[in-house]
Amino acid sequence: METELAAEAQELTIRPRTGNPREVLQGANFTARDLALCSSEEARALIAYRDARELEVLPLSIGRVGKSARLHLAAVSDSLETEGRCQYACGVGVAITKVPRHLIGDAIELAYLGSEERLARHVDRLRRVEAEKPRAVLHDLEPCGDAAQFLQTILEFAVIRGASDLHLVPQRDGALIKLRVDGELLIQEQRPYALRFHEQVVSRLKVLAAADITQKAIPHDGAFSFNVGTSQRSARLSTLPTLHGESVVIRILRASDGASLMELGLEPGAYSMLHEMLQCPEGLVLLTGPTGSGKTTTLYSLLRELEGRGRNVVTVEDPVETIVPGIVQVQVNLDVGLDYPRAIRSVLRHDPDVLLIGEIRDGLSGSMAVDAATTGHLTVSSLHVGSVFDVVRRLEVLGVPPGRVVPALRLVVNQRLLPRLCTACRSLHSLKYRGAADMNHDEDACIECRGTGFSGQVLVTEVLDAREDAIQDLFLRGAMGSGTARELPADLYIPWSEALQYHMSAGAISFSQVEEFFGKKTS
């Protein structure tokens, strides 16, 4: 069988995949090779090889029905059950053409695997994949025409490595895989995989994230879920058209993204202040910091803290990254005109006690957040700004005057993530500044941290209680700034130093990290 497949596959490699699938399938006496020639790489990217074998279907082409994509399949059955299973496997609508059972198996092998050498390599890889749980070696993976399986493997590998972001970057000679681990962007020790295969991977990702797979010249955003073993993980997709193809960044929500507020590891004073503020019936709570500082994680922790308190909690997000049971979550959808302002207006008519706005992006969403916070709703949102002292100025730049912002403002949290010292290989070297421990690491490479000395991340914060008249007066006069920090009462302002001291004393970070942190803050 494999020899026959190889002979036919060799011919497949020199003949273009042409011909209308419907015309071929309507003809008489078509063969497995004819059927395989009708299958496009873009279509096969939507259904994994093993799923195709199990369902006895062969993806042929992708068409459009209005704004939606539809996958044309050849299958041994056109029953409603088969249609439903195929639609679940690929994530889009399907149209099935029934073909004889004796053709479909050979056609799947020819279309997906291509040649005897690649067939053997693919089978060996699948055996190795099944044997290795979890999969921890990425450079052994060889793309073999199965984009869905390849994508699943690199996603699982990224989770195993503790990556917050997975980058797939097209270059002239192929696509590179990069991982952001503990804040550092690492390039995998693997030769680039083919750009043609990269296009299949991107198509698969777009389907998972409900993006338009036919539009390759514009950026796309979306969210999707995937399984790692028995657990489900959430991810956010961003694509960007580049000179050599579509660049992809996948933000992977970590296990800690499902943590409660207590489990975030906040410095006790910051935890108490934030926990207390959630009891307020109204007002604006802002989580601030740069991209990648963990704001989304903290937002979802607040949702879990609020859920079950007898309050109607409604969110407006773009996208909804994690489903929180008991919470009403609204997904922004620009394709149908449901932007942040329109969604917020609708939510405010939905009798919310607590409104969570995923991000204040412009003056209109900022203005509506302030309005909600002053009309009997506790409003929680995030804002890209570098300091708790700059939030009013930032909102003013967006078009919301301080006179409206300051009376609504209750609490501002500014946060960063620092690499956590590896607990498996650290050793107490000496006691330094204020009794804090500075850690050295064993020279031999540690399995847990792969010799980097770090495993995981630590959340550090500065927190400002903005309810007091003295704080509001400073904001209104434009006199609030880092220079006034030392004059603020300890029960209203918790500086970076307290969180850093707390984590350093616990051995989670080193003294050199603290020095570097303040060096960056003052530079």
Side-chain angles (χ1 to χ4, degrees), residues 429-452:
H429 177 61
S430 63
L431 294 179
K432 290 195 175 182
Y433 182 64
R434 295 183 182 175
D438 192 17
M439 304 296 180
N440 280 353
H441 296 272
D442 300 333
E443 294 181 0
D444 295 333
C446 169
I447 296 176
E448 294 295 325
C449 67
R450 292 168 173 81
T452 65

Side-chain angles (χ1 to χ4, degrees), residues 302-318:
L302 295 181
L303 280 181
R304 291 178 176 86
E305 193 77 13
L306 290 162
E307 195 277 323
R309 293 191 179 186
R311 305 166 80 180
N312 183 26
V313 183
V314 185
T315 77
V316 178
E317 305 172 68
D318 183 23

Side-chain angles (χ1 to χ4, degrees), residues 96 103 120 174 218 239 359 392 399 401 443 509:
I96 295 177
L103 295 179
I218 61 174
T239 72
E359 182 183 348
V392 173
E443 294 181 0
I509 60 177

Side-chain angles (χ1 to χ4, degrees), residues 283-337:
L284 181 62
V285 176
L286 288 177
L287 302 178
T288 67
T291 300
S293 59
K295 297 188 297 296
T296 300
T297 301
T298 306
L299 281 174
Y300 278 111
S301 297
L302 295 181
L303 280 181
R304 291 178 176 86
E305 193 77 13
L306 290 162
E307 195 277 323
R309 293 191 179 186
R311 305 166 80 180
N312 183 26
V313 183
V314 185
T315 77
V316 178
E317 305 172 68
D318 183 23
V320 173
E321 298 183 2
T322 300
I323 304 299
V324 181
I327 302 295
V328 178
Q329 295 175 269
V330 177
Q331 166 77 59
V332 169
N333 187 346
L334 298 179
D335 290 339
V336 297

